[in-house]
Amino acid sequence: MAAAPTPQADSHASGAHSSSSLTANNQKDVDGESFESFYEEVKAIEQRDSVLTPKQQIDRLLRPGSTYFNLNPYDVLDIPYDANLTEIKQKYRRMSILVHPDKNVDDAERAQKSFECVNKAYKTLNNEEGFKRCQEIVDEAKQKIEDMIKAKKKQLKKEGKEQKVPEEEDPEKYKHAVYVHMCKLFADLERLRIEKEAKDMHEKKRKAQEDAEAEEDAKVQKEWNKNFEESRTNRVDSWRTFNKVKGKKAKGGFRPPKPKLEKR
C-alpha cells in the first residue's frame, strides 16, 4: 500500500500549486489595486492551508466546549452546511489523514480522540438517512433565523427605525447565526437521545426486576405447593393411623357392667 502524503507536503503542495496558478493568471495585472487583490487572495489561500495542519486540527477538535461543538458533524469536518456528499467524502479523507494517530505519533492519544470524532461525523453524514436528518436540522436552523430576522424588522418598524438587520445585510453573519442555531439543535437532539436511552435503560431495568420478582414468587409458590402436598399426605396418614388406633381401643377396651335386676 502506497504511503499517504504527509500533511505538510500536502499543505505545501496545495499552497505552491495555488500560488503558481494565481501567479500565472495575474502576472500581467500585478500593479496597484490588482496587486492588493492578488496579495489578499494568496494570503487567504495560505491561511486556509495553515488551518489544515495536524496540530491545529487536533487542537480544534479537542478545544474547550468540543463535547458540545462536535455534536455538529459539519463543524467536526469543517465544511459548510450546504456541502454535498462528494465534498463531504473528500474533506473526510483529508481530515482523517491529518489527525490519524499513525501520522501523529508524538500526540497519539489526542490524535486518536480526534480521529474518532472525524469518523463519527463522517458516518453520520455518509448515509442517506443520516444526511437527510442533518439537512432537516439545517433547514430548521435557517427557518429559525429567517423568523428571527422578520421579528427584528417588525420591531424596528414599530419603533420607527430603519429596518436593517445584520444577519440579513451580512451573509457571513447570517451563516454564523445559522451555525449557532444548528449547534443548539444538534445538542437538543443529543439530549433527547440520552434521555430516551436513560428511559429505555430504566424501563429495561424495571422489567428485569419485575421478571426476577415474578420468578422468585413462582419459585416460592412452587415450594409452598410441594410442602403443602407433602404435609397433606402426612396429615392424611396421621389421621388414618389415629382412626385405626381408636377403633382397636373401642373393640378391646372398657365395657360397662350389665345392670342387675333387683330382687324383691
Side-chain angles (χ1 to χ4, degrees), residues 223-260:
E223 186 68 22
W224 188 88
N225 290 339
K226 179 182 176 182
N227 293 337
F228 178 79
E229 287 299 322
E230 290 177 354
S231 63
R232 179 176 178 276
T233 302
N234 293 335
R235 289 197 305 274
V236 171
D237 291 343
S238 297
W239 179 250
R240 288 173 178 171
T241 301
F242 172 75
N243 283 338
K244 286 180 181 179
V245 172
K246 183 179 179 181
K248 287 180 180 179
K249 285 183 179 179
K251 290 181 180 179
F254 172 76
R255 293 183 179 181
K258 292 181 178 181
K260 294 182 179 181

Side-chain angles (χ1 to χ4, degrees), residues 107-171:
D107 198 8
E109 185 177 346
R110 294 174 75 241
Q112 180 64 37
K113 291 179 180 178
S114 301
F115 186 70
E116 289 172 0
C117 289
V118 171
N119 273 339
K120 182 179 179 181
Y122 180 64
K123 287 179 181 178
T124 300
L125 291 169
N126 191 39
N127 67 82
E128 187 176 347
E129 183 180 351
F131 183 75
K132 181 181 178 182
R133 185 170 66 251
C134 290
Q135 283 300 303
E136 288 174 351
I137 288 178
V138 171
D139 292 340
E140 184 177 346
K142 290 167 73 174
Q143 184 60 52
K144 182 71 175 179
I145 301 307
E146 293 293 337
D147 293 341
M148 180 268 290
I149 290 173
K150 289 179 181 178
K152 281 187 176 182
K153 292 179 73 173
K154 185 177 180 180
Q155 182 62 30
L156 289 169
K157 183 179 180 180
K158 184 178 180 181
E159 295 172 356
K161 298 179 181 179
E162 188 177 6
Q163 298 176 43
K164 284 188 176 182
V165 179
E167 290 80 5
E168 185 178 44
E169 299 291 323
D170 188 341

Side-chain angles (χ1 to χ4, degrees), residues 19-30:
S19 299
S20 299
S21 300
L22 287 169
T23 303
N25 293 333
N26 295 278
Q27 189 172 7
K28 297 179 182 179
D29 301 317
V30 179

Side-chain angles (χ1 to χ4, degrees), residues 57-236:
Q57 287 292 5
I58 291 172
D59 288 343
R60 182 181 69 83
L61 291 168
L62 300 180
R63 68 193 185 278
S66 58
T67 303
Y68 173 80
F69 292 112
N70 289 348
L71 294 173
N72 181 350
Y74 296 97
D75 189 70
V76 173
L77 296 177
D78 196 20
I79 53 177
Y81 52 72
D82 55 355
N84 58 43
L85 289 174
T86 300
E87 293 170 331
I88 291 169
K89 185 173 291 187
Q90 290 173 347
K91 191 59 179 289
Y92 163 72
R93 287 175 178 171
R94 188 169 188 180
M95 287 280 290
S96 62
I97 291 173
L98 286 171
V99 302
H100 198 286
D102 292 346
K103 299 288 183 181
N104 299 273
V105 290
D106 294 334
D107 198 8
E109 185 177 346
R110 294 174 75 241
Q112 180 64 37
K113 291 179 180 178
S114 301
F115 186 70
E116 289 172 0
C117 289
V118 171
N119 273 339
K120 182 179 179 181
Y122 180 64
K123 287 179 181 178
T124 300
L125 291 169
N126 191 39
N127 67 82
E128 187 176 347
E129 183 180 351
F131 183 75
K132 181 181 178 182
R133 185 170 66 251
C134 290
Q135 283 300 303
E136 288 174 351
I137 288 178
V138 171
D139 292 340
E140 184 177 346
K142 290 167 73 174
Q143 184 60 52
K144 182 71 175 179
I145 301 307
E146 293 293 337
D147 293 341
M148 180 268 290
I149 290 173
K150 289 179 181 178
K152 281 187 176 182
K153 292 179 73 173
K154 185 177 180 180
Q155 182 62 30
L156 289 169
K157 183 179 180 180
K158 184 178 180 181
E159 295 172 356
K161 298 179 181 179
E162 188 177 6
Q163 298 176 43
K164 284 188 176 182
V165 179
E167 290 80 5
E168 185 178 44
E169 299 291 323
D170 188 341
E172 289 304 316
K173 289 185 178 180
Y174 174 81
K175 288 181 180 179
H176 179 70
V178 172
Y179 162 76
V180 169
H181 200 69
M182 280 172 59
C183 288
K184 290 180 180 179
L185 291 174
F186 277 112
D188 287 343
L189 197 65
E190 178 67 7
R191 177 180 55 79
L192 291 173
R193 185 193 68 79
I194 292 174
E195 288 178 356
K196 183 178 183 302
E197 190 176 80
K199 184 178 179 180
D200 291 344
M201 183 65 69
H202 176 74
E203 183 65 21
K204 185 177 180 181
K205 185 177 179 181
R206 185 189 63 79
K207 191 174 185 307
Q209 186 175 355
E210 286 183 351
D211 291 344
E213 290 176 355
E215 185 178 352
E216 183 64 23
D217 290 345
K219 184 178 179 181
V220 170
Q221 185 65 37
K222 183 178 180 181
E223 186 68 22
W224 188 88
N225 290 339
K226 179 182 176 182
N227 293 337
F228 178 79
E229 287 299 322
E230 290 177 354
S231 63
R232 179 176 178 276
T233 302
N234 293 335
R235 289 197 305 274
V236 171

